[in-house]
Amino acid sequence: MRAHTVPTATETEQVLATPMGGRSVGEHIAAALARGQLIARGDAGWTIADTGRSGSFVYGAKPMPVSCQLLMHGLFKAAYGQQRVPYNCRNCYKVRLAPRTFRELMAVHELARPYTELPWKCGSTLHAPYSSGVYAAFFYLQGLDAARNFYHALRARMAAHPQIAPDLPMRIKRGCTLYEVACGPSDRYPVAPEAVESWLLPRLQHAARAPVPLPVVMHRWLEAAHKVGDTTYLEHTGGRPLHPAGLSYDPGPAA
């Protein structure tokens, strides 16, 4: 996190007075502090409290230009009160794949691994708010044209993979689903001012949290498959069920 200079009173007042819906940025931040969503630091900045969510995704080698945790939890949820989409998210488009089985998920993960020039994630969405389906992979692009070009290139690569069906669902979406839930359709949702965001970002930091080890993430994928009855996961466990089936008893004749 880069250092920030001590702001003038005028700069601080202008940013904190910026309206975001029915409240100002300062009022949203005060509410986030009261909820424990943000924690005030001695250097006039804020730490985003640990969300406590367990990791169910594997991430590509290239990180996002600005951390999604800062943008989603620090800006959108806390400073903007879910009233404006972060400025740094305005050009974020995703090519989303929806594997239908554990077999397809593993094949998509294999397909994604060589992509080191753009961010991506792959995993289980079973317990993700606002998401449908059990598995998903996301490739992050800057701009709609880039997303369209990548979509067609990826579709061509998928066609040559023996374990990926040609009709595997794919779509291009803009930003995060919660943005559309809170702010309306993504082709016209409101975006926060660049100057406000440039002032806020250096003053936000993540809570310290150790990354979830890869074997733990993979086990959560197996748990998701088992939970929904997707038996293709048995191909990756040597045919051994994740949990033994319980006994069932003959009900016997009706009395």
Side-chain angles (χ1 to χ4, degrees):
M1 179 58 62
R2 62 187 185 276
H4 62 266
T5 57
V6 177
T8 66
T10 301
E11 289 174 324
T12 303
E13 290 168 0
Q14 287 177 343
V15 169
L16 297 183
T18 302
M20 294 283 175
R23 289 180 170 183
S24 67
V25 168
E27 289 171 327
H28 285 305
I29 289 175
L33 289 166
R35 292 192 300 268
Q37 192 174 358
L38 292 179
I39 301 166
R41 302 197 312 270
D43 61 353
W46 305 277
T47 297
I48 304 165
D50 189 345
T51 61
R53 290 182 181 171
S54 58
S56 296
F57 282 92
V58 171
Y59 294 85
K62 186 176 179 66
M64 296 295 289
V66 180
S67 160
C68 289
Q69 184 182 6
L70 290 181
L71 296 172
M72 172 61 78
H73 299 289
L75 293 179
F76 181 70
K77 290 186 175 181
Y80 301 162
Q82 301 191 28
Q83 300 297 309
R84 296 287 187 277
V85 172
Y87 180 84
N88 278 271
C89 297
R90 72 196 186 286
N91 288 327
C92 177
Y93 287 80
K94 303 172 185 176
V95 175
R96 185 188 194 277
L97 282 63
R100 292 157 295 192
T101 64
F102 190 89
R103 180 190 297 126
E104 283 189 335
L105 172 66
M106 295 301 290
V108 167
H109 178 234
E110 178 187 341
L111 194 73
R113 287 173 62 189
Y115 285 101
T116 57
E117 77 282 7
L118 78 167
W120 58 264
K121 68 178 181 180
C122 182
S124 171
T125 55
L126 183 62
H127 300 296
Y130 312 109
S131 291
S132 60
V134 183
Y135 317 112
F138 299 86
F139 295 85
Y140 295 77
L141 289 304
Q142 288 296 305
L144 182 54
D145 287 345
R148 285 171 171 158
N149 291 335
F150 182 79
Y151 176 100
H152 293 294
L154 184 61
R155 179 63 87 181
R157 284 199 63 206
M158 288 168 52
H161 198 292
Q163 291 187 314
I164 299 179
D167 63 342
L168 187 148
M170 288 177 65
R171 62 184 285 247
I172 297 174
K173 66 189 301 286
R174 184 186 183 197
C176 293
T177 302
L178 180 54
Y179 294 167
E180 292 193 274
V181 171
C183 298
S186 64
D187 61 345
R188 55 183 181 272
Y189 53 37
V191 175
E194 180 181 11
V196 169
E197 193 147 315
S198 296
W199 188 92
L200 286 168
L201 270 177
R203 293 164 174 81
L204 290 165
Q205 70 179 26
H206 304 288
R209 189 181 188 188
V212 180
L214 180 60
V216 174
V217 177
M218 292 290 190
H219 188 76
R220 289 170 182 166
W221 295 4
L222 292 169
E223 289 177 332
H226 179 81
K227 181 178 282 291
V228 300
D230 174 8
T231 57
T232 64
Y233 82 86
L234 295 172
E235 299 168 9
H236 296 269
T237 63
R240 182 177 180 179
L242 196 61
H243 304 293
L247 291 176
S248 296
Y249 294 84
D250 185 342

